[in-house]
Amino acid sequence: MSEPELETQQTTFSMPAYAPAIRLIVGFASPNQKTWALKRPATIIGSRRPAHIVVHHHAVSESHCAIVNTGRDVILADLHTPGGTLRNGQAVDTVVLNHRDVVTVGDTKLTVEIDRRAGPACPRVQPRMTAAGVGGKPVDRFEPLLLRDQKSQDGWRVKRRVALVGRRSGATVHLDADQVCDAHALLFCCGDTWMVLDLGSRAGVVLNHWPVRLARLQEGDLCQIGSVTLAVGGRESEASEPEPPNEPRTKTPNAADIQKKPSMSRPDRTAPKPVGNSRPAAPAPCAAMRRGHRGKPGTEPGSQLATIKAELELAWARLNKWKLEVADHSDLLTECSGDLSRRIAQLDARDAAMRGLLHDLTRYHDHLVECQAKLTGLLDERASECASERE
């Protein structure tokens, strides 16, 4: 199955060719059946946009649950909602879906169809290590995601393949900070790649200073969630427990080590040479600057300081100019911000009204269907009575 690429402001992503094809069906085997083909790596079900599938019900949250295609398995994850998510009538947190499972969100039942024959065979994965040796059911190869708050140095080790980031109680990465929504972002593993998905938050998700909707996460990335900046990767000890204080990092040399140290005047000619493409470590910047200064005897430190001072004064003048320009337009910015807030409030009110009307229309439609069924039954009875009277 060839999958179209999903564009974001930073990266593109395409599902593996061996990924299973997923379909969601509402009203299975009924005249009002509706079907969605899930072509995204992660599909969000909620009560309003930007959820990919919108279910209007008072017990459904804005970001209620997620269906993630890992390339091998199909995972259903409840996003720690009060109403909960059911699979085949049982409440679940994170579970692997099978063909023809029924997912219940609010009062809506969604039948899941999974076609694993849509593409070539899925590559084999390494078997799970058990206490008795190698065995057990094969699982996806993925490494836990390590995150660290740059400000507070708090760390998280994400072991689940689907994890929620936000203020909501029970979130895997719980962030109680400014500009962080209840369900702010979703972390999930697709194949061997960790990804982040913005759940329609107001502050958005910023990855390496770029706002993104869907993006890969790599070692060394900086992911900003509201006012919190998370560093991706690092040592596992940094993400789980802080380092013990006053831990010695180097061994204190004793007298025997000092005697064994080679003399500085006579270099050791038996030292091993670098092998392959290995190169000696680059010198420290301060040492390079000192060597550069010694290599140019005509350059004086006073002239360099004067140049740096002039550049700083020029940059300070530009900053003051920009501050004055912003101050001149502050009233306009405040007015635009107030107008935008009013429009957002109006849109929210209209959205709530439309949701109420849609709920009423759905109830009226169900009532009309019941009345139609009763009338059809009465007509059939009347027709049978007329036929018996004629006989």
Side-chain angles (χ1 to χ4, degrees):
M1 178 185 63
S2 61
E3 193 69 30
E5 292 186 343
L6 301 176
E7 299 285 344
T8 64
Q9 295 189 21
Q10 183 173 355
T11 185
T12 57
F13 182 80
S14 57
M15 293 296 299
Y18 54 81
I22 311 171
R23 292 194 305 168
L24 281 185
I25 302 175
V26 174
F28 182 73
S30 68
N32 298 325
Q33 175 176 318
K34 185 176 181 180
T35 304
W36 291 273
L38 308 187
K39 298 183 179 181
R40 300 177 176 86
T43 301
I44 306 300
I45 301 175
S47 62
R48 57 182 299 181
R49 296 294 181 185
H52 304 120
I53 298 178
V54 178
V55 176
H56 297 284
H57 192 264
H58 62 86
V60 179
S61 303
E62 293 184 8
S63 297
H64 194 90
C65 64
I67 296 179
V68 176
N69 189 347
T70 67
R72 177 181 176 86
D73 293 327
V74 181
I75 299 177
L76 170 67
D78 177 68
L79 301 183
H80 307 283
T81 56
T85 304
L86 306 181
R87 185 199 66 161
N88 299 333
Q90 296 182 353
V92 295
D93 183 13
T94 302
V95 68
V96 177
L97 292 175
N98 299 317
H99 183 60
R100 291 292 173 86
D101 279 348
V102 178
V103 177
T104 304
V105 179
D107 61 349
T108 302
K109 294 185 177 181
L110 305 168
T111 303
V112 182
E113 288 192 347
I114 303 175
D115 184 8
R116 301 185 183 276
R117 300 170 299 174
C122 176
R124 293 183 178 180
V125 298
Q126 296 294 334
R128 179 184 299 169
M129 294 294 297
T130 61
V134 179
K137 183 181 177 181
V139 296
D140 287 340
R141 292 175 292 182
F142 76 100
E143 294 293 333
L145 179 65
L146 305 180
L147 299 173
R148 186 180 71 258
D149 187 351
Q150 283 198 320
K151 185 177 181 180
S152 64
Q153 296 302 316
D154 293 336
W156 295 269
R157 185 173 186 264
V158 182
K159 298 180 181 180
R160 297 185 177 184
R161 287 181 289 181
V162 183
L164 177 67
V165 181
R167 287 174 174 262
R168 187 173 290 174
S169 177
T172 305
V173 182
H174 186 267
L175 301 176
D176 190 4
D178 296 336
Q179 301 179 0
V180 178
C181 299
D182 291 342
H184 198 105
L186 187 72
L187 300 172
F188 62 94
C189 189
C190 185
D192 57 352
T193 303
W194 277 99
M195 306 194 71
V196 60
L197 174 66
D198 181 20
L199 296 178
S201 58
R202 292 191 177 183
V205 176
V206 179
L207 186 64
N208 299 328
H209 309 290
W210 283 88
V212 296
R213 169 69 174 165
L214 173 68
R216 294 184 180 92
L217 291 177
Q218 299 178 357
E219 183 84 14
D221 284 345
L222 294 179
C223 184
Q224 184 175 349
I225 306 293
S227 59
V228 180
T229 301
L230 301 175
V232 180
R235 295 180 301 174
E236 186 171 348
S237 59
E238 295 179 352
S240 56
E241 297 178 357
E243 289 189 4
N246 301 328
E247 181 180 358
R249 297 181 178 272
T250 58
K251 181 181 178 182
T252 304
N254 51 25
D257 295 334
I258 295 176
Q259 291 178 0
K260 293 179 181 180
K261 187 175 181 180
S263 175
M264 297 299 294
S265 60
R266 297 183 60 186
D268 188 6
R269 298 182 181 275
T270 62
K273 297 181 179 181
V275 181
N277 296 328
S278 60
R279 298 180 180 178
C286 57
M289 292 176 63
R290 288 196 296 269
R291 284 200 297 270
H293 179 66
R294 288 197 298 266
K296 297 181 180 179
T299 305
E300 297 181 358
S303 61
Q304 296 180 0
L305 291 176
T307 304
I308 295 174
K309 184 178 179 181
E311 293 177 354
L312 288 176
E313 291 179 353
L314 180 60
W316 189 257
R318 291 178 180 174
L319 180 61
N320 291 331
K321 181 180 178 181
W322 293 338
K323 289 175 64 177
L324 292 175
E325 292 178 355
V326 171
D328 293 338
H329 297 84
S330 60
D331 296 337
L332 180 60
L333 291 175
T334 303
E335 182 181 356
C336 293
S337 177
D339 185 39
L340 182 60
S341 300
R342 287 192 298 271
R343 292 188 179 184
I344 291 176
Q346 293 175 0
L347 288 176
D348 291 340
R350 292 179 181 178
D351 180 73
M354 293 296 294
R355 288 171 60 185
L357 291 175
L358 182 60
H359 181 71
D360 294 339
L361 288 175
T362 304
R363 188 157 48 86
Y364 295 153
H365 177 267
D366 296 339
H367 182 66
L368 288 175
V369 170
E370 293 178 0
C371 294
Q372 183 180 4
K374 291 180 180 179
L375 289 175
T376 303
L378 292 175
L379 289 175
D380 293 339
E381 293 178 359
R382 183 61 179 171
S384 61
E385 292 176 359
C386 293
S388 61
E389 291 178 356
R390 291 177 182 177
E391 293 177 357

